[in-house]
Amino acid sequence: MRLTSITHLCGGLLATVLARSAVAAPATSAEAALTERASTGRLVFAHFMIGIVSDRTSASDYDADMTRAKAMGIDAFALNIGTDPFTDEQLGYAYQSAANNGMKLFISFDFNWWHPANATDMGKKIAQYASKSAQLMYDNKAFVSTFTGDGLNVTIVRSSAGTPIFFVPNFHPGQSSLADLDGAFNWLGWPTNGNNKAPTSGANVTVESGDQTYVTDLAGKPYMAPASPWFFTHYGPEVSYSKNWIFPADLLWYDRWNELLALRPQFVEIVTWNDYGESHYVGPLNSPHYDDGASKWANDMQV
Ligand SMILES: *[C@@H]1O[C@H](CO)[C@@H](O)[C@H](O)[C@H]1NC(C)=O
Ligand SMILES: *[C@@H]1O[C@H](CO)[C@@H](O)[C@H](O)[C@H]1NC(C)=O
Ligand SMILES: *[C@@H]1O[C@H](CO)[C@@H](O)[C@H](O)[C@H]1NC(C)=O
């Protein structure tokens, strides 16, 4: 999408966020404005959790997500995958649906489940999907990303993929060299205390300071900047992924898009489209999924 039209996207998404129960098609005014876009090579993505829609049974189960995101000006979904047995079935549906609906996709390897020792397996997984028609190509290479993954041997990933890749992982400046990468993705779209908790006056890491760290370390390579409305999560010890925190956001969604218009990064990734359990989803809550009480709540509300 053209970066100057992000305000339209922002407006459309903001309306969605403010009216979570309004799951109709995006506002026609936003759609009309977006048809005027020209391509500048700058792209906007949204992070899409495959793991919480693993109960989908056909490509058409993905159609509403594809058409809605595309209408809002989102260029591609970053499909977050773990190592679950259902992954290939769901990726197959997603790539088919995207092909049917003119949407683009790429894989984002989640290193809560993948491991640097899996570099060869990652390459093979990339090879499985790189030639699909819905695969996002950038600079004639298959776009690939991650959630974390510091310590991964990128040379092995590239050689195992057997096809050129444009690799923009969520490596961290100071923990990994960004030299082997084509770009880097910063996940931290919220102000924090630098230790995964809310900021305090004494420990206050702003999103903009993260931008500056990445831009400096990337030394001219493309930066994939985060945009997120907020983040609240509370899972107890009953699950292996227990987590409990809130990052205060206030006007973050509005302020952040203004920052991005000034920064003009090559890529923006919205965090997220559908991670209901972390509350930072901008898509609708009505898709088939599980992993939280919210889905039951949404189903009850729609009776
Ligand atoms: C990742 O590597 C570990 C350790 O070698 C292995 O047990 C696991 O099966 C690998 N995972 C995948 C998805 O290949
Ligand atoms: C990555 O693996 C290649 C091939 O095995 C090796 O030559 C290279 O030194 C490794 N790179 C790092 C940073 O470990
Ligand atoms: C952190 O810094 C930002 C930017 O200066 C400021 O707006 C915000 O209020 C600060 N947060 C805290 C908790 O001090």
Side-chain angles (χ1 to χ4, degrees):
M1 70 182 294
R2 208 169 112 198
L3 201 67
T4 48
S5 58
I6 278 181
T7 46
H8 298 301
L9 169 67
C10 182
L13 291 176
L14 192 60
T16 307
V17 168
L18 291 176
R20 287 281 167 83
S21 57
V23 293
T28 47
S29 60
E31 267 182 271
L34 287 167
T35 60
E36 297 163 14
R37 286 175 306 172
S39 175
T40 62
R42 287 193 168 82
L43 300 172
V44 173
F45 311 130
H47 200 81
F48 186 107
M49 304 298 289
I50 287 289
I52 64 176
V53 295
S54 61
D55 50 353
R56 291 183 174 185
T57 57
S58 69
S60 59
D61 283 347
Y62 282 84
D63 287 352
D65 290 311
M66 300 296 167
T67 54
R68 185 176 277 111
K70 188 182 171 188
M72 289 179 144
I74 292 170
D75 297 293
F77 279 131
L79 300 179
N80 178 290
I81 61 164
T83 55
D84 310 270
F86 57 70
T87 301
D88 280 319
E89 182 183 13
Q90 294 302 326
L91 285 179
Y93 295 152
Y95 271 84
Q96 185 60 54
S97 171
N100 294 346
N101 292 292
M103 185 65 171
K104 294 296 178 190
L105 305 175
F106 60 88
I107 293 175
S108 178
F109 291 87
D110 188 332
F111 275 75
N112 281 325
W113 315 104
W114 293 84
H115 187 273
N118 297 126
T120 305
D121 310 307
M122 279 179 63
K124 287 180 183 161
K125 188 62 69 188
I126 292 164
Q128 268 180 268
Y129 296 91
S131 61
K132 302 267 185 210
S133 63
Q135 169 67 42
L136 177 71
M137 303 299 286
Y138 189 86
D139 196 18
N140 294 319
K141 297 167 185 153
F143 201 96
V144 180
S145 188
T146 69
F147 171 73
T148 75
D150 296 285
L152 181 68
N153 185 317
V154 177
T155 307
I156 295 177
V157 176
R158 289 188 197 281
S159 60
S160 318
T163 189
I165 65 171
F166 197 86
F167 194 45
V168 185
N170 171 222
F171 288 3
H172 295 84
Q175 291 180 46
S176 292
S177 164
L178 307 186
D180 293 341
L181 311 182
D182 301 295
F185 170 42
N186 173 18
W187 173 260
L188 282 176
W190 319 268
T192 76
N193 70 347
N195 196 24
N196 226 25
K197 290 285 188 299
T200 62
S201 53
N204 184 0
V205 182
T206 64
V207 184
E208 280 176 294
S209 70
D211 290 335
Q212 290 317 315
T213 304
Y214 270 90
V215 167
T216 301
D217 244 51
L218 281 163
K221 285 186 191 173
Y223 172 47
M224 186 145 89
S228 188
W230 44 51
F231 193 151
F232 164 69
T233 188
H234 189 166
Y235 287 94
E238 70 277 3
V239 293
S240 61
Y241 46 90
S242 172
K243 48 188 172 178
N244 177 14
W245 66 79
I246 185 168
F247 296 136
D250 299 328
L251 295 176
L252 179 65
W253 189 230
Y254 174 80
D255 290 341
R256 185 61 184 152
W257 284 108
N258 281 317
E259 288 170 16
L260 292 168
L261 287 170
L263 184 67
R264 297 177 62 78
Q266 190 69 25
F267 309 116
V268 172
E269 186 161 311
I270 296 168
V271 180
T272 57
W273 180 257
N274 68 342
D275 197 341
Y276 309 108
E278 294 188 349
S279 314
H280 44 48
Y281 58 99
V282 301
L285 190 53
N286 67 339
S287 55
H289 74 272
Y290 68 92
D291 94 329
D292 57 3
S295 59
K296 181 177 185 313
W297 176 84
N299 289 334
D300 291 349
M301 292 299 285
Q302 283 167 21
V303 173

